[in-house]
């Protein structure tokens, strides 16, 4: 019988399950090399904690590894039901809450190594967390996408640690439609978009905010075919990069992104390079710890390592 420890959090409704003890010893000098080792030799840990019967398709996992550079707090490898994520905003907020719960968070701004680059985070006295994401930018503006049976419409393609297809107006769909319909539409858009931009693995719809304090509401399709319950940290970063490029939001101005379930992230950006449109997005949200679990791998259980 093998055991390891995970801490569950949710950030605006979106879960993160962090392996804090008993995970694999990864080989490699950089996080990229360690990701390769995890993917090729220890993928069973990913499947065990995010896939059924222990996990679910909405679960995002995080594995904490020692920092390659001593000043950084630690490295984080994020994963989901179908593979690995370059970065995860709600997940980073969840990891900070987890480290605080364990009493392992140092004070002040902490730097985390992710596959996409360095992300800094600070835990505030009200337990909210602000993360500063990797450099983010819009690569294509108003790209005309044709989707069989739906028609032609314009989308933006942007990077914020993950690649997004941003659909400004969900083509005759409002976000109050049943989630199953939004999922189907977003999946069809993703399939079309990937013919031109194979790197894109998230689709984001935008609609008007539901509350007076909100700037906009979104719906985000994630790579595993499920939708983000939170406003998606990297998705909000991608939106901020587009708003910056369009001159629709000023540096430092606040953008309140509502999720499909009504949870919110507060965002703003700092210019890194106006010419190339690179920004540094900041996202503030709050995560709650909701389980501290001993995972049991019973070698007699055919599904111990997940379906
Ligand atoms: O918050 O960046 C995020 C995220 C990516 C996928 C699910 N959540």
């Amino acid at each position: 019988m093998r055991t390891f420890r995970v801490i569950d959090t949710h950030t605006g409704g979106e879960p993160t399950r962090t392996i804090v003890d008993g995970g694999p010893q990864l080989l490699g000098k950089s996080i990229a090399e360690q990701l390769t080792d995890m993917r090729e030799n220890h993928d069973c840990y990913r499947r065990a904690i995010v896939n059924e019967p222990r996990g679910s398709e909405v679960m995002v996992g995080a594995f904490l590894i020692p920092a390659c550079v001593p000043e950084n707090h630690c490295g984080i490898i994020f994963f989901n039901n179908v593979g690995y994520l370059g970065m995860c905003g709600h997940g980073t907020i969840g990891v900070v809450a987890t480290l605080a719960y364990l009493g392992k968070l140092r004070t002040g701004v902490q730097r985390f190594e992710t596959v996409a680059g360095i992300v800094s985070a600070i835990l505030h006295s009200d337990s909210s967390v602000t993360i500063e994401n990797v450099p983010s930018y819009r690569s294509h503006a108003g790209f005309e996408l044709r989707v069989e049976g739906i028609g032609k419409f314009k989308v933006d393609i942007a990077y914020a640690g993950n690649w997004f297809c941003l659909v400004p107006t969900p083509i005759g769909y409002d976000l109050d439609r049943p989630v199953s319909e939004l999922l189907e539409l977003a999946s069809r858009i993703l399939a079309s978009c990937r013919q031109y931009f194979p790197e894109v693995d998230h689709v984001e719809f935008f609609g008007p905010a539901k509350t007076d304090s909100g700037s906009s509401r979104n719906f985000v399709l994630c790579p595993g075919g499920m939708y983000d319950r939170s406003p998606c940290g990297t998705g909000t970063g991608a939106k901020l990069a587009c708003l910056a490029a369009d001159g629709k939001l000023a540096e430092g101005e606040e953008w309140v992104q509502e999720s499909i379930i009504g949870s919110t992230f507060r965002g703003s950006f700092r210019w890194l390079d106006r010419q190339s449109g690179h920004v540094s997005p900041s996202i503030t949200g709050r995560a709650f710890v909701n389980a501290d679990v001993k995972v049991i791998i019973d070698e007699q259980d055919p599904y111990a390592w997940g379906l």
Side-chain angles (χ1 to χ4, degrees), residues 14 60 85 87-91 162 164 202 222-223 228 230 232-235 265:
E14 180 76 355
V60 168
L85 291 163
M87 221 309 269
C88 182
H90 91 268
N162 294 305
F164 288 83
H202 293 71
C222 296
D228 199 328
S230 84
C232 191
T234 51
F265 284 162

Side-chain angles (χ1 to χ4, degrees), residues 138 213-216 235-257 265-271 274 277 279-283:
R138 178 169 69 184
S213 53
S215 311
S216 146
T236 302
K239 177 67 177 173
L240 291 167
C242 295
L243 290 164
D246 287 333
K248 289 187 174 159
L249 190 74
E251 184 171 44
E253 196 182 334
E254 187 169 87
W255 179 264
V256 180
Q257 187 63 61
F265 284 162
R266 286 182 289 118
S268 63
F269 75 87
R270 184 167 62 77
W271 280 112
R274 281 176 197 266
V279 299
S280 177
S282 289
I283 311 293

Side-chain angles (χ1 to χ4, degrees), residues 46-127:
R46 177 187 67 77
R47 285 185 272 111
I49 74 160
V50 297
N51 284 3
E52 293 179 21
R54 234 178 247 103
S56 79
E57 55 193 352
V58 74
M59 182 67 76
V60 168
F63 181 44
L64 307 185
I65 54 175
C68 297
V69 175
E71 303 81 71
N72 297 336
H73 196 295
C74 64
I76 314 173
I77 294 179
F78 290 110
F79 46 89
N80 65 7
N81 54 334
V82 290
Y84 294 84
L85 291 163
M87 221 309 269
C88 182
H90 91 268
T92 307
I93 295 171
V95 165
V96 170
T98 293
L99 291 170
Y101 166 78
L102 293 172
K104 287 191 173 165
L105 193 70
R106 304 178 200 147
T107 50
V109 178
Q110 301 303 320
R111 286 158 59 87
F112 295 96
E113 297 166 4
T114 74
V115 172
I118 300 293
V119 175
S120 65
I122 184 156
L123 175 68
H124 303 289
S125 54
D126 65 355
S127 299

